Amino acid sequence: MAYQQPALPYPENALEPFISARTLSFHYGKHHAAYITNYNNLVAGTPFDRLSLEEVIALAAADPQKIAIFNNGAQAWNHSFYWNCLTPNGGGEPSGELGAKITQDFGSFDKFKDELKNAAATQFGSGWAWLVLEGDQLKVVKTGNAQTPSTSNQKPILTIDVWEHAYYLDYQNRRPDYVATVIDNLLNWEFAAQNFHAAQ
Ligand code: MN3
């Protein structure tokens, strides 16, 4: 079955002034859409066609001959997840069980933010910075290119896309400014809390 691109959970201009409508237009409308088109073309007529995107990602990750399917499929999934990690009037600090677990595992919310910023800044080249649950521990990890935490037995809670196409129109080379702005103004802690609850 073809994977359908999920609708953006907000209008393209909803994240301004932090992420422009122009960036979202290219990022959602061109980059994400192209990964999905490529993925659907690659799996069409193969046994993967009958599996879910998540099932295909897990199988393709273990087979070097399926690298193109993995790259396009994982990028399709990573972006669908990323759109939900952002929300207008986001940012702030999570409360409830996720807020308490972040304090327990990182020492404080500020220490968690520093780790996330550091992971995003030090991911060399294209990739992603993540908050994940591994076992019963929250961790900050970074992945290169299309890599996604589910293939490392980590459950994604939150992510920030640090490919240049995510920020270059708005921030040019200033990736740390984009990451700090996203953390302070756009992170969707309600979505993260749902992921954390479901991951346990
Ligand atoms: Mn991207």
PDB file of all heavy atoms in Angstrom, residues 1 32 59 64 112 129 161 171:
ATOM      1  N   MET A   1       0.858  -1.199   0.000  1.00  0.00           N
ATOM      2  CA  MET A   1       0.000   0.000   0.000  1.00  0.00           C
ATOM      3  C   MET A   1       0.884   1.235   0.000  1.00  0.00           C
ATOM      4  O   MET A   1       1.892   1.273   0.703  1.00  0.00           O
ATOM      5  CB  MET A   1      -0.914  -0.016   1.228  1.00  0.00           C
ATOM      6  CG  MET A   1      -0.151  -0.072   2.557  1.00  0.00           C
ATOM      7  SD  MET A   1      -1.197  -0.640   3.920  1.00  0.00           S
ATOM      8  CE  MET A   1       0.020  -1.498   4.917  1.00  0.00           C
ATOM      9  N   HIS A  32       9.916  16.477   1.894  1.00  0.00           N
ATOM     10  CA  HIS A  32       9.189  15.336   2.477  1.00  0.00           C
ATOM     11  C   HIS A  32       8.382  14.629   1.388  1.00  0.00           C
ATOM     12  O   HIS A  32       8.381  13.388   1.312  1.00  0.00           O
ATOM     13  CB  HIS A  32       8.274  15.832   3.605  1.00  0.00           C
ATOM     14  CG  HIS A  32       7.645  14.733   4.414  1.00  0.00           C
ATOM     15  ND1 HIS A  32       6.494  14.919   5.132  1.00  0.00           N
ATOM     16  CD2 HIS A  32       8.000  13.436   4.613  1.00  0.00           C
ATOM     17  CE1 HIS A  32       6.169  13.784   5.761  1.00  0.00           C
ATOM     18  NE2 HIS A  32       7.066  12.876   5.459  1.00  0.00           N
ATOM     19  N   LEU A  59      12.821  -3.875   8.364  1.00  0.00           N
ATOM     20  CA  LEU A  59      13.393  -4.908   7.495  1.00  0.00           C
ATOM     21  C   LEU A  59      14.502  -4.339   6.608  1.00  0.00           C
ATOM     22  O   LEU A  59      15.562  -4.950   6.435  1.00  0.00           O
ATOM     23  CB  LEU A  59      12.295  -5.520   6.619  1.00  0.00           C
ATOM     24  CG  LEU A  59      11.267  -6.391   7.360  1.00  0.00           C
ATOM     25  CD1 LEU A  59      10.096  -6.722   6.442  1.00  0.00           C
ATOM     26  CD2 LEU A  59      11.930  -7.665   7.877  1.00  0.00           C
ATOM     27  N   PRO A  64      21.573  -4.360   3.512  1.00  0.00           N
ATOM     28  CA  PRO A  64      22.308  -3.311   2.785  1.00  0.00           C
ATOM     29  C   PRO A  64      21.822  -3.111   1.341  1.00  0.00           C
ATOM     30  O   PRO A  64      21.995  -2.033   0.780  1.00  0.00           O
ATOM     31  CB  PRO A  64      23.757  -3.811   2.804  1.00  0.00           C
ATOM     32  CG  PRO A  64      23.831  -4.786   3.928  1.00  0.00           C
ATOM     33  CD  PRO A  64      22.455  -5.390   4.060  1.00  0.00           C
ATOM     34  N   PHE A 112      18.910  18.992  30.266  1.00  0.00           N
ATOM     35  CA  PHE A 112      18.374  18.304  29.091  1.00  0.00           C
ATOM     36  C   PHE A 112      18.477  19.205  27.850  1.00  0.00           C
ATOM     37  O   PHE A 112      18.909  18.765  26.785  1.00  0.00           O
ATOM     38  CB  PHE A 112      16.911  17.891  29.318  1.00  0.00           C
ATOM     39  CG  PHE A 112      16.139  17.742  28.043  1.00  0.00           C
ATOM     40  CD1 PHE A 112      16.344  16.630  27.219  1.00  0.00           C
ATOM     41  CD2 PHE A 112      15.248  18.719  27.621  1.00  0.00           C
ATOM     42  CE1 PHE A 112      15.662  16.508  26.015  1.00  0.00           C
ATOM     43  CE2 PHE A 112      14.570  18.606  26.430  1.00  0.00           C
ATOM     44  CZ  PHE A 112      14.776  17.497  25.618  1.00  0.00           C
ATOM     45  N   ALA A 129      18.431  15.330  15.774  1.00  0.00           N
ATOM     46  CA  ALA A 129      18.666  15.224  17.213  1.00  0.00           C
ATOM     47  C   ALA A 129      17.361  14.750  17.850  1.00  0.00           C
ATOM     48  O   ALA A 129      16.284  15.202  17.461  1.00  0.00           O
ATOM     49  CB  ALA A 129      19.078  16.577  17.788  1.00  0.00           C
ATOM     50  N   ASP A 161      14.884  18.238  13.230  1.00  0.00           N
ATOM     51  CA  ASP A 161      15.566  18.023  11.954  1.00  0.00           C
ATOM     52  C   ASP A 161      16.723  19.008  11.858  1.00  0.00           C
ATOM     53  O   ASP A 161      16.509  20.223  11.979  1.00  0.00           O
ATOM     54  CB  ASP A 161      14.551  18.272  10.819  1.00  0.00           C
ATOM     55  CG  ASP A 161      15.071  17.917   9.430  1.00  0.00           C
ATOM     56  OD1 ASP A 161      16.297  17.775   9.251  1.00  0.00           O
ATOM     57  OD2 ASP A 161      14.229  17.811   8.513  1.00  0.00           O
ATOM     58  N   TYR A 171      17.860  30.737   8.661  1.00  0.00           N
ATOM     59  CA  TYR A 171      18.987  30.929   9.590  1.00  0.00           C
ATOM     60  C   TYR A 171      20.347  30.788   8.904  1.00  0.00           C
ATOM     61  O   TYR A 171      21.374  30.917   9.567  1.00  0.00           O
ATOM     62  CB  TYR A 171      18.908  29.909  10.744  1.00  0.00           C
ATOM     63  CG  TYR A 171      17.681  30.072  11.602  1.00  0.00           C
ATOM     64  CD1 TYR A 171      16.480  29.465  11.249  1.00  0.00           C
ATOM     65  CD2 TYR A 171      17.709  30.855  12.746  1.00  0.00           C
ATOM     66  CE1 TYR A 171      15.336  29.618  12.036  1.00  0.00           C
ATOM     67  CE2 TYR A 171      16.584  31.013  13.539  1.00  0.00           C
ATOM     68  CZ  TYR A 171      15.400  30.387  13.170  1.00  0.00           C
ATOM     69  OH  TYR A 171      14.274  30.539  13.945  1.00  0.00           O
TER      70      TYR A 171
END
